Amino acid sequence: MPFKIVRNDITKMNTQAIVNTANEFVEVGTGCDTAIYKAAGYDELLAYRRDNIGNVPQGEVFITPGFNLPAEYIIHAVSPYFIDGSEGEEEKLRSCYRKSLQLAAEHSIRSIAFPLISTGGFGYPKEEGMRIAIDEISAFLIRHDMLVYLVVFGDKMTALGGKIYPDLEEYIDQNYVEKRIDEEYGGYYRPSGSVPSEPKIEKRNTSFRDKLRRPQRASRFEKREDIYDECCDYSEPEMSASDDDMFFGEYHESKLEERIKHRSDTFSQYLLYLIQDKNMENAEVYKRAIVDKKTFSKIKNNVDYHPQKITALCLCVGARLNLDESKDLLARAGYALSPSDMTDIIFTYFIENEIYDMIELDIQLEEHGLPCIIS
């Protein structure tokens, strides 16, 4: 399917049409709506809507020229405000995607870019909004030939991507590249033309590696680095005997016994146990994982169901598992995280750093030239 998720400013997308998150009334809202009006020509676009369109109910769409935009057309989807999920928000949001695509087809539009409708100022939950977008776009593309982009842009997403990317690149270098060198050069790298010598142990970037590998308790010491700088005492403070983290105790004994009881669970059984143990709801997990309900139902209702590896990885993110839990769950389906597989390395990085964001993860896969999950 010609469907891609990209990080970009939708007003700069060089597609035949872009989609705007519009208001019911002849007024300009915040966020995407304002950005598109400014880029297209604020007064000209607003006058066109006032003179030719008028008020439009939620879930409906209308089309205008693109004016000063690179896009020839703007399809305006009147987006629903999310209240509590019981006010018909889902059907209205689905209608925005469905009718936008239908209107594009009627105008022989060959390429179109969508924002993640209603998930900004309109308050729709991001993961659920993404699932709805994928459902409707995928269903449309089964019957139509059109290039569809889902554009993810915003302060939070852009800041997250900028923060992730440098560390992820270094993480890949330290895992994937070193693994390849070990495989190809027998454990050490010798530049072409050099004299054979004893294997050289490469000096690691210990600060970064320590950051990734350090137990969670160390974070409390990181927060006190400013104190150490002032007093020149770089030793870690002694832990108090009253610190509950230092003692196994009845709580941990009980949790360990419970975990041992599940040592022979299948993938399905262990996943459901972990979800319950973390006080999560099934729907919360598969929505965050952006796994469709039908697939999750198969896993839930068949204890011997064997999911695809990519589905299992997504569910590790959806259930907010740590790295040990993820490895354990994957092993029950016959999978392992490989240090020489780029997709596995990216998933490992996200899980180790507790970044449980499938949209950002999918963008990182795209930016590293790997097959996307969502699209």
Side-chain angles (χ1 to χ4, degrees), residues 219-345:
S219 63
R220 73 183 65 181
F221 304 135
E222 291 172 5
K223 295 175 183 177
R224 298 189 59 176
E225 286 176 356
D226 56 333
I227 299 176
Y228 299 156
D229 289 341
E230 291 175 6
C231 66
C232 299
D233 177 10
Y234 293 94
S235 61
E236 293 182 350
E238 294 183 2
M239 300 299 296
S240 168
S242 63
D243 193 325
D244 291 339
D245 290 344
M246 297 295 290
F247 297 94
F248 200 65
E250 293 182 3
Y251 172 78
H252 291 294
E253 284 184 1
S254 174
K255 298 294 285 186
L256 177 58
E257 287 300 317
E258 184 68 21
R259 188 66 61 92
I260 290 171
K261 289 178 184 178
H262 291 270
R263 64 187 181 277
S264 61
D265 282 1
T266 64
F267 177 91
S268 170
Q269 292 169 327
Y270 198 59
L271 172 63
L272 295 175
Y273 157 69
L274 289 172
I275 292 172
Q276 182 180 23
D277 186 59
K278 293 174 180 292
N279 297 314
M280 295 180 179
E281 298 292 333
N282 290 342
E284 174 188 355
V285 171
Y286 70 71
K287 287 178 182 178
R288 185 183 300 114
I290 313 185
V291 169
D292 65 85
K293 186 178 181 180
K294 184 178 179 180
T295 299
F296 189 86
S297 294
K298 290 179 182 178
I299 295 171
K300 177 183 176 183
N301 297 323
N302 182 355
V303 295
D304 295 318
Y305 185 81
H306 194 276
Q308 294 182 352
K309 183 177 180 179
I310 201 68
T311 300
L313 286 168
C314 292
L315 287 168
C316 290
V317 174
R320 297 181 180 272
L321 303 186
N322 62 36
L323 189 58
D324 287 338
E325 290 168 337
S326 297
K327 289 179 177 178
D328 194 355
L329 180 63
L330 289 167
R332 293 164 193 264
Y335 302 125
L337 290 167
S338 170
S340 60
D341 182 274
M342 284 282 281
T343 299
D344 284 5
I345 287 173

Side-chain angles (χ1 to χ4, degrees), residues 31-168:
C32 181
D33 200 21
T34 295
I36 287 176
Y37 269 81
K38 286 182 176 179
Y42 193 99
D43 294 335
E44 194 173 9
L45 180 53
L46 186 59
Y48 186 94
R49 176 170 183 182
R50 182 176 57 247
D51 298 340
N52 298 279
I53 308 297
N55 295 341
V56 178
Q58 291 181 10
E60 296 296 325
V61 301
F62 59 93
I63 192 167
T64 69
F67 295 105
N68 297 328
L69 289 170
E72 183 180 354
Y73 299 103
I74 307 169
I75 293 178
H76 303 259
V78 182
S79 308
Y81 283 92
F82 185 83
I83 301 172
D84 58 9
S86 65
E87 302 297 320
E89 296 99 319
E90 179 174 345
E91 182 50 42
K92 291 174 184 175
L93 182 55
R94 287 184 178 277
S95 177
C96 285
Y97 285 103
R98 192 182 308 127
K99 292 186 176 182
S100 293
L101 290 163
Q102 290 171 351
L103 188 57
E106 290 170 7
H107 285 76
S108 301
I109 290 170
R110 299 177 301 279
S111 61
I112 187 170
F114 283 85
L116 201 53
I117 299 174
S118 279
T119 60
F122 290 82
Y124 215 99
K126 186 176 66 174
E127 290 85 359
E128 178 67 4
M130 175 63 81
R131 185 181 66 83
I132 290 169
I134 294 165
D135 283 352
E136 294 299 330
I137 293 171
S138 299
F140 175 84
L141 289 177
I142 291 172
R143 306 183 306 274
H144 299 83
D145 184 17
M146 188 181 295
L147 180 58
V148 180
Y149 292 94
L150 194 59
V151 180
V152 180
F153 184 82
D155 292 342
K156 180 180 178 182
M157 186 63 69
T158 303
L160 180 60
K163 180 180 179 181
I164 289 171
Y165 196 85
D167 285 353
L168 178 57

